[in-house]
Amino acid sequence: MTAIRPVRKAVFPVAGLGTRFLPASKSVPKEMLTVVDMPVIQYAVNEAKAAGIEHFIFVTGRNKHVIEDHFDLQPELQNTLADRGKQDMLDVLATHQPEAGATSFTRQQAPLGLGHAVWCARDIVGDEPFALLLPDMVMKSRDGRECMESMMNVYRTSGGNVIGVQECHPDEVSSYGIVEQGETVAGGFRIDGMVEKPSKEDAPSNLYINGRYILQPEIFDLLENQERGAGGEIQLTDSMLRLADSQDFFGNIFTGETYDCGSKEGFIAANVSFALQRDDTGPAVREIIAKLMG
Ligand code: G1P
């Protein structure tokens, strides 16, 4: 068996226009909208960091430069906070600050789909396995183990490619990539098939791809000549399906909660859920909601 190579880099596709969030997303990238007080993108970056990722690659687009600013130092702000003795706030900033040289930014020049966005990161990833996190999907673990960390644990014994999956309502299968469940392996199961946004009748299960992947670099060669699929876009799922001809794919079921912050309802649910959970906001928000519910 070939050695299982470590996963050091993570890719974050953040080029989407976010039309569902207009007018807010006209000048503020949807990934910078906040769930309580942290931008959506920071949740995915923190999840990757907790899973051992060392380098963070952002595939951005026009009008997204504020994401780059967010992950840079802000000396003026830091000096002001230091002058005012706000050590707690300086600590918050430090916790979320990637090290110098630990981020890379490239641009997806045209909105050709998720597969194309991932392909744009090929030179920065190079010839090694990588994690892929779709930042719209904000996750909250139940047991303290986050989705990517649990996938890494599977990967360390399985190798190959690992995909995060969750159950969805059968009516929702047409919104996601859906996998076909094969034999059980440690921490998950072998994936026997995948289909992007199937109809309810054609879906092989109700296990949807939840936006977390560990992929081998051979995916880039397949993405390079991938024909357009569902929605006329270059679909990552279609290339994964082709890669599955020669490599193993495993599914790891995430049992926590996932909020699709690419939709208004998911974004609001994430805000309510995280606000209720936090010590600083929980009690007051609980009271407000109780009052509103009458
Ligand atoms: C993408 C993937 C899909 C996955 C989903 C999760 O779809 O193509 O397989 O289930 O993300 O959010 P998109 O949301 O970009 O349409």
Side-chain angles (χ1 to χ4, degrees), residues 32 39 41-42 45 56 58 64-78 90 92-105:
M32 289 302 293
I41 181 68
Q42 186 86 53
V45 166
F56 307 87
F58 301 88
K64 299 274 184 167
H65 45 265
V66 59
I67 296 177
E68 198 165 340
D69 293 340
H70 175 72
F71 289 109
D72 193 7
L73 293 176
Q74 242 268 42
E76 272 180 27
L77 172 64
Q78 284 162 284
L90 284 167
V92 168
L93 292 182
T95 311
H96 300 300
Q97 179 68 52
E99 271 177 51
T103 53
S104 294
F105 296 84

Side-chain angles (χ1 to χ4, degrees), residues 74-88:
Q74 242 268 42
E76 272 180 27
L77 172 64
Q78 284 162 284
N79 291 341
T80 307
L81 291 173
D83 289 346
R84 293 182 185 170
K86 302 262 185 207
Q87 190 54 44
D88 51 343

Side-chain angles (χ1 to χ4, degrees), residues 14-147:
V14 288
L17 293 175
T19 47
R20 280 185 279 183
F21 283 95
L22 285 170
S25 55
K26 188 178 165 198
S27 61
V28 179
K30 66 179 163 120
E31 298 80 8
M32 289 302 293
L33 298 177
T34 60
V35 170
V36 189
D37 50 12
M38 203 158 80
V40 162
I41 181 68
Q42 186 86 53
Y43 286 84
V45 166
N46 290 359
E47 183 187 332
K49 200 172 162 199
I53 293 298
E54 296 163 12
H55 195 96
F56 307 87
I57 302 164
F58 301 88
V59 181
T60 74
R62 283 177 285 282
N63 294 327
K64 299 274 184 167
H65 45 265
V66 59
I67 296 177
E68 198 165 340
D69 293 340
H70 175 72
F71 289 109
D72 193 7
L73 293 176
Q74 242 268 42
E76 272 180 27
L77 172 64
Q78 284 162 284
N79 291 341
T80 307
L81 291 173
D83 289 346
R84 293 182 185 170
K86 302 262 185 207
Q87 190 54 44
D88 51 343
M89 283 295 113
L90 284 167
D91 291 345
V92 168
L93 292 182
T95 311
H96 300 300
Q97 179 68 52
E99 271 177 51
T103 53
S104 294
F105 296 84
T106 187
R107 283 190 178 195
Q108 182 186 23
Q109 294 164 339
L112 300 177
L114 176 61
H116 178 257
V118 174
W119 178 75
C120 290
R122 68 199 178 281
D123 285 347
I124 308 177
V125 171
D127 184 25
E128 57 182 280
F130 63 100
L132 169 65
L133 296 93
L134 310 190
D136 278 355
M137 304 302 262
V138 170
M139 303 198 175
K140 196 162 125 193
S141 73
R142 278 187 215 282
D143 53 7
R145 178 167 294 169
E146 299 198 54
C147 185

Side-chain angles (χ1 to χ4, degrees), residues 168-178 196-200 203 230:
C168 66
H169 191 276
D171 289 341
E172 291 173 340
V173 290
S174 60
S175 304
Y176 298 107
I178 303 293
E196 183 66 20
K197 304 195 171 73
S199 65
K200 195 174 169 181

